[in-house]
Structures are given as structure tokens and as C-alpha cells.
Amino acid sequence: MKKHHYEVQIDWTGNDGDGTKTYKGYRRDHTIAAANKPPIQGSSDPSFRGDPSRYNPEELLVASLSACHMLWYLHLCAVNNVTVIEYSDAASGVMSENEDGSGEFVQVTLKPKVKIAAGGNRDRALELHNEAHHLCFIARSVKFPVEVEGDLSFATTA
């Protein structure tokens, strides 16, 4: 079995001078980076005091599911002689928030719009969505344990 490893760097950029001294006293802004790639400007959802001009983790999860499905679908079309000319997806997700502040996604809906070459096999093109869903790494992984290996340090007193 092959193992693939992924590394990203998350850096909080929302300290306005007092850290997290108060709940309202800090921004949720952060950057997401990986080697040799431009950073992604992130924040929390605006419902949780985030910056609406930045991507939030919930949007990135929905985008990951959508992109994974698309990439598998395009691959399957290519090897099954279905020529895709255009592909777009207006994906959406629903997260349920619990009284204690925790939450979980309860549904993600992908709505891919695909245009294939004239004379292509429409039925096969539609069937390939089921195969893509089955093969998508992200869709197969949305219920998984998350391990946390924290590193704690103390700020020096000014």
C-alpha cells in the first residue's frame, strides 16, 4: 500500500497586540501555506467572527470534495473515451452547530455541470460520476480520526 504525505503550515496572523486575552479581542486571520505554493488567506466563517474576504475551513472542505470529484471524473472520462469540454460545480455544504459550540457537516452536495463532445456517450458520462465518487480520496475520508500533536511554548513577558 502506498502512503502519501501532505504538509501544510498554518500561521495565525490575527494577534492585534493582546493575543486571545478576550474573545472579541483577536482576529481569526491566518495563512495556509505549502512548499513552493502561494499562501491562502484564511479566517473563520463570519458567523464565528471571521473575515468574510478570506476562505474559511468549511469552504475549503467543500472545495476539496468538489475538486477531488472533478479530478477523478476527468480522469475517468479520459480513459473511457468521453471527451469533456467544460466542467463546473456549484458545490454546497451544510454544517450543523450544536449547543456546546461544536458541529459537524451533515451534507455536502456536488452539482457538476459537464459538457462533453458531440456524439459522446451520455449514459456513460453520467455513470462515471458514481465511479468518481467511489474513488475520491476526500469523499472516502470525511469521517476519520484526527490526531493532534501539539507544541506549546510560552511568550516572554514584555
Side-chain angles (χ1 to χ4, degrees):
M1 176 185 296
K2 289 184 186 177
K3 298 234 185 229
H4 301 269
H5 299 271
Y6 302 92
E7 296 179 12
V8 298
Q9 176 73 35
I10 306 291
D11 291 303
W12 175 48
T13 59
N15 184 348
D16 289 330
D18 289 325
T20 59
K21 188 173 182 179
T22 65
Y23 178 73
K24 294 182 180 182
Y26 66 95
R27 290 176 292 114
R28 279 58 179 173
D29 296 358
H30 57 276
T31 58
I32 304 164
N36 304 312
K37 297 177 184 174
I40 296 171
Q41 301 300 312
S43 190
S44 62
D45 182 286
S47 299
F48 307 109
R49 305 193 53 77
D51 182 342
S53 71
R54 293 172 170 243
Y55 288 98
N56 63 59
E58 296 81 8
E59 291 169 326
L60 295 172
L61 176 62
V62 174
S64 292
L65 286 161
S66 177
C68 185
H69 181 89
M70 178 193 70
L71 293 168
W72 268 111
Y73 182 78
L74 295 174
H75 167 84
L76 290 170
C77 286
V79 299
N80 281 276
N81 299 314
V82 174
T83 303
V84 175
I85 306 301
E86 293 178 12
Y87 184 109
S88 65
D89 184 7
S92 62
V94 177
M95 185 183 76
S96 178
E97 186 180 353
N98 302 314
E99 288 185 30
D100 67 358
S102 67
E104 57 272 335
F105 271 82
V106 295
Q107 180 181 2
V108 170
T109 304
L110 306 180
K111 297 179 183 176
K113 293 180 89 170
V114 179
K115 185 183 287 186
I116 62 174
N121 186 334
R122 182 181 191 282
D123 291 339
R124 185 65 181 136
L126 290 171
E127 289 170 5
L128 291 174
H129 280 296
N130 290 330
E131 290 183 42
H133 180 70
H134 172 73
L135 292 169
C136 172
F137 308 137
I138 308 300
R140 294 173 61 93
S141 302
V142 291
K143 286 287 188 180
F144 55 89
V146 177
E147 294 183 31
V148 178
E149 295 179 0
D151 184 0
L152 177 66
S153 63
F154 294 94
T156 56
T157 307

